[in-house]
Amino acid sequence: MSTDTARPVRIAVDIGGTFTDLQILDARQGIARAWKTPTTPEDPSIGLLRGVGEAAERFGFALSDVGLLLHGTTIATNAVLERRLSRGVLLTTAGFEDVLEINRHVRRDIYGLAPDPFPVLIPRDRRLGVPERLRADGSAERPLDEAAIPALLDRIAALGAECVAVSLLHAYANPAHEQRLAAMIRAARPDLPVSLSSDISPEIREYERTSTTVLNALLVPVVKAYLDRLEARLGEGGFHPLVFLVQSNGGVCSLRMAAEQPARLLLSGPSGGALAAGRLAALLARPNLVAVDMGGTSFDVSVVQEGRVAVITQGEIDRLPVRLPMVEMRTIGAGGGSIAAVDAGGRLTVGPRSAGARPGPVAYGRGGTEPTVTDANLALGRLDPDFFLGGMMKLDMPATRAALEARVGTPLGLSVEQAAEGMLTVTNANLGAAIRLSLFEKGLDPRDFCLLSFGGAGGLHATEVAAELGISEVAFPREPGTLSAYGILFSDLTQDIARSRVMRASPANLAHIAEAIAALRTEADARLAQDGIAPERRRVTIAADMRYHGQAFELLVPWGEVSTPDAGDLAALVEAFHAMHRQRFSYANPGDPVEIVTLRAIATGLLDKPEPGDPPPADRPALKGTRRAFETGAWRDIPVWDREAMTATDTIEGPAIVDEAFATHWITRGWTARLGAAGTLIARHATKGETP
């Protein structure tokens, strides 16, 4: 899929809880530029189109010049978290209607006498049994009783279903019963969306497969309504780009795929940050990065190891398993909008409750009354009340200080400055704990990594969090407040296809393995063709979920572009599994039999990736002056640097503040910072590394 030279502008959009971030790449200028606009939670497409219009006016392009819109969105995530879901019915094999409630019986709080029950999105009266049953090998133990389906359809109508999820026993091995059932439902009710587990997640494990299918079904009407609103607005002002939506795996998909399988969008926006981290790892020659994205409501951690961003085959949202490939990421409720409170025991807490976009922090002047992390940074002088978002928004310092005093300072007997410092200490401890856990669970040492800090709020905390973890280097990419959108700008169209078939990873099964890979490749090629990808721009790689015989979990092992594997290819795959197991769990058992549980094809349609250049430094002094900020127990005059005017010869000595249009960075005492590759600001601890 080549660039439309008649419409040379490409836009990537990441819609967050507080702001909608845009990256605009105009091929005529060869420079990517950033823009931010407040998110409109009532309809995110309003903020998106408004942001595009503002960017067009600011950067001098017409809406008709936009040929490609790559769209990351939290619409699916927020719908699940806020339970704004459709009324659904689940059809499953008779006798298995309670799989969703039985789940895995995982006790997260092992000492809790009254643990919170796991969420169940479809109640018992809307879970209906279908007379049929397949065996694990896909053969029919009980054929589908088609005579019983009309009565089932009447039940669905009486229950007022807006969508239907179908997850029959062992449908991953043979989709015939699900497909026939869907055909009969669609013939009777063509307006009723139907999601099949054999389409959404054709893998073993009934609970996870059913949970994923249910999530998908309940999201179909929600996401379709949003896409309909978006498409209705796309023609305004000559704005009619080709639109792709970002998936949880970091690739993009067509509007058709997004409408049919919206569960693939559940980690849509944050995956862009992980993609950008992978790109920067190569540009900075730093293959080991821990990437942290701190926005208004959340803090996302992803790990780049040896230049690769990890992808997992199962995640969860609000304790609901999602059995789909997604970028591996840990998210906690800690952002600029995280609210501070003092509990009944006199304990200061920060987050996970957030002020969001509306009313937002007290400083925004939109009616917020509870102090947030942004308010704490403003009260300590780290934010300029006259230069927030490059001067687009003025911050209310008097209201911020009053709220901090009333809600935190007075209850704890602290000054406003002490209250704000306490809030940042708690926040930084939470951020450090999330990073530490993300690395320790993989057997990795934080000291071997560079911290890549981005998001609108990340730069204010990065050096202090790094110091707590023993990390001696922090990278602040150019325009960090929109880095997730920057990563989306370079996405490819990606589809994941999986087939579960448990077999020993032995030469005796090479024929079966080759047969499965051939089927995956055929389907991958057909899907890419359906999306209009030319043969020369298609790439298909294979991966395998593998385990030792008797284990209850698998590791995802990449296998490259293998087509017809021989004994040597299989031996290399098994050895890669042993090595991964050893690295993850500190041991391996090379003498034990290894199983392949699921084979996967990653079908990639390569989109053009123009290489943007860096804008020249602004023609003004890099050192702006000083600002009064509270540091090490006293108010001091802190140097303030203009990021956009800096050159490679400038050296920053902490403590210092670095301002740019959509972010502010705090360089802690004892750290030194200079510009590196790709306009990235590299900070190093003065006692632990040489000046960059």
Side-chain angles (χ1 to χ4, degrees):
M1 192 168 291
S2 58
T3 302
D4 184 347
T5 55
R7 295 188 294 168
V9 177
R10 171 185 300 207
I11 297 180
V13 181
D14 175 26
I15 299 180
T18 306
F19 288 102
T20 294
D21 301 338
L22 296 91
Q23 279 275 340
I24 301 96
L25 178 57
D26 191 332
R28 295 168 298 192
Q29 300 171 355
I31 295 174
R33 300 185 182 276
W35 190 251
K36 269 181 180 284
T37 194
T39 293
T40 49
E42 69 280 5
D43 182 356
S45 67
I46 295 174
L48 186 158
L49 271 297
R50 183 176 63 200
V52 170
E54 293 168 350
E57 183 176 349
R58 175 67 177 269
F59 302 125
F61 63 88
L63 294 181
S64 58
D65 290 334
V66 182
L68 187 62
L69 177 66
L70 304 170
H71 180 6
T73 176
T74 57
I75 187 76
T77 308
N78 292 340
V80 175
L81 295 177
E82 299 168 16
R83 295 297 190 266
R84 292 184 290 101
L85 298 167
S86 307
R87 182 179 176 86
V89 166
L90 169 64
L91 302 182
T92 189
T93 302
F96 287 80
E97 297 90 342
D98 295 319
V99 163
L100 282 182
E101 276 187 276
I102 294 171
N103 62 62
R104 288 292 173 195
H105 279 201
V106 177
R107 288 181 64 96
R108 300 196 178 203
D109 183 1
I110 61 175
Y111 300 109
L113 297 179
D116 291 336
F118 273 73
V120 178
L121 298 183
I122 296 183
R124 183 62 179 83
D125 65 323
R126 285 190 266 129
R127 303 197 299 263
L128 310 179
V130 179
E132 65 84 46
R133 183 156 182 169
L134 294 173
R135 301 184 181 94
D137 63 359
S139 60
E141 180 174 308
R142 179 184 182 186
L144 176 66
D145 185 357
E146 297 191 10
I149 304 306
L152 204 61
L153 290 170
D154 291 341
R155 290 278 308 279
I156 292 172
L159 289 168
E162 298 172 324
C163 59
V164 174
V166 181
S167 183
L168 303 181
L169 191 65
H170 300 308
Y172 64 87
N174 180 357
H177 285 185
E178 285 195 351
Q179 291 171 349
R180 177 56 183 156
L181 182 58
M184 297 181 74
I185 295 172
R186 288 165 179 153
R189 292 281 306 275
D191 60 321
L192 189 64
V194 180
S195 295
L196 305 183
S197 74
S198 51
D199 290 337
I200 308 301
S201 181
E203 302 183 38
I204 63 170
R205 295 192 173 89
E206 292 306 305
Y207 171 53
E208 289 79 6
R209 181 162 58 89
T210 302
S211 172
T212 305
T213 308
V214 165
L215 277 167
N216 192 85
L218 300 183
L219 285 168
V220 167
V222 176
V223 171
K224 184 179 184 303
Y226 171 71
L227 295 179
D228 287 346
R229 292 194 301 270
L230 177 62
E231 286 190 282
R233 292 191 170 98
L234 284 181
E236 298 174 6
F239 184 59
H240 49 87
L242 181 63
V243 182
F244 290 111
L245 269 74
V246 182
Q247 303 176 93
S248 303
N249 61 9
V252 297
C253 66
S254 64
L255 291 178
R256 171 191 56 79
M257 175 63 77
E260 293 174 359
Q261 300 192 11
R264 296 185 181 274
L265 309 179
L266 283 167
L267 208 64
S268 173
S271 66
L275 286 175
R279 178 178 173 83
L280 285 170
L283 292 175
L284 299 177
R286 285 163 173 81
N288 294 334
L289 291 176
V290 56
V292 295
D293 179 2
M294 185 175 182
T297 56
S298 64
F299 180 74
D300 303 319
V301 183
S302 54
V303 177
V304 182
Q305 187 180 9
E306 298 179 356
R308 289 181 56 250
V309 178
V311 174
I312 56 176
T313 58
Q314 180 177 310
E316 66 173 39
I317 178 169
D318 196 20
R319 300 193 295 166
L320 296 162
V322 183
R323 188 75 177 172
L324 290 170
M326 58 183 64
V327 171
E328 187 174 18
M329 189 171 295
R330 171 167 276 102
T331 299
I332 63 170
S338 293
I339 293 170
V342 179
D343 65 19
R347 182 174 64 108
L348 175 63
T349 62
V350 183
R353 243 180 4 112
S354 174
R358 294 179 183 170
V362 176
Y364 286 7
R366 295 175 177 166
T369 59
E370 298 177 283
T372 67
V373 173
T374 294
D375 294 310
N377 279 304
L378 175 63
L380 293 175
R382 299 185 182 187
L383 289 173
D384 184 346
D386 297 320
F387 192 69
F388 191 68
L389 293 183
M392 292 170 56
M393 180 185 292
K394 304 296 183 183
L395 300 183
D396 190 339
M397 177 71 85
T400 289
R401 291 184 63 87
L404 280 165
E405 182 177 20
R407 299 292 184 118
V408 180
T410 298
L412 295 178
L414 302 174
S415 67
V416 169
E417 291 79 9
Q418 289 171 327
E421 283 192 320
M423 288 172 57
L424 297 189
T425 298
V426 171
T427 299
N428 291 341
N430 291 338
L431 305 184
I435 296 170
R436 191 178 287 112
L437 184 57
S438 295
L439 294 172
F440 284 4
E441 68 183 3
K442 298 178 178 64
L444 304 174
D445 188 334
R447 294 171 296 183
D448 296 332
F449 283 76
C450 171
L451 182 68
L452 178 68
S453 169
F454 58 100
L460 291 164
H461 302 263
T463 53
E464 291 180 346
V465 172
E468 179 180 328
L469 294 166
I471 294 175
S472 60
E473 188 175 67
V474 176
F476 302 95
R478 191 170 63 85
E479 296 174 340
T482 60
L483 194 75
S484 288
Y486 176 83
I488 292 169
L489 201 61
F490 302 95
S491 297
D492 285 316
L493 192 147
T494 305
Q495 294 204 40
D496 293 285
I497 308 164
R499 292 293 178 269
S500 286
R501 184 173 180 178
V502 181
M503 59 184 131
R504 292 287 175 91
S506 64
N509 283 322
L510 271 172
H512 298 303
I513 295 170
E515 178 187 357
I517 289 175
L520 286 169
R521 284 186 162 278
T522 298
E523 184 173 349
D525 200 57
R527 289 196 188 185
L528 291 174
Q530 188 177 19
D531 285 327
I533 303 297
E536 67 273 11
R537 303 188 72 86
R538 301 174 195 168
R539 183 184 177 205
V540 180
T541 57
I542 303 297
D545 294 1
M546 304 177 72
R547 68 188 182 192
Y548 290 118
H549 178 67
Q551 280 185 325
F553 60 88
E554 298 85 45
L555 293 177
L556 177 63
V557 185
W559 206 359
E561 298 187 43
V562 64
S563 181
T564 307
D566 57 25
D569 296 324
L570 186 59
L573 177 70
V574 171
E575 182 54 39
F577 166 74
H578 291 313
M580 183 179 291
H581 199 282
R582 184 180 296 108
Q583 192 269 324
R584 182 66 62 91
F585 303 110
S586 301
Y587 77 96
N589 297 327
D592 287 1
V594 176
E595 293 177 337
I596 293 175
V597 177
T598 300
L599 284 167
R600 301 179 183 277
I602 301 92
T604 304
L606 301 175
L607 303 181
D608 283 344
K609 293 182 181 55
E611 291 293 331
D614 294 329
D619 187 17
R620 55 181 182 261
L623 184 58
K624 295 171 65 172
T626 62
R627 184 158 75 238
R628 295 284 286 175
F630 197 79
E631 192 262 346
T632 61
W635 285 96
R636 307 179 191 278
D637 291 324
I638 304 296
V640 180
W641 292 78
D642 183 343
R643 168 72 175 271
E644 295 165 5
M646 287 182 63
T647 66
T649 61
D650 294 314
T651 300
I652 298 174
E653 300 285 347
I657 295 168
V658 183
D659 279 343
E660 56 182 295
F662 299 120
T664 300
H665 313 294
W666 174 258
I667 309 300
T668 307
R669 184 180 296 272
W671 289 70
T672 303
R674 291 181 63 183
L675 286 181
T680 303
L681 185 66
I682 306 289
R684 285 184 178 154
H685 197 283
T687 62
K688 297 182 180 180
E690 298 177 1
T691 303

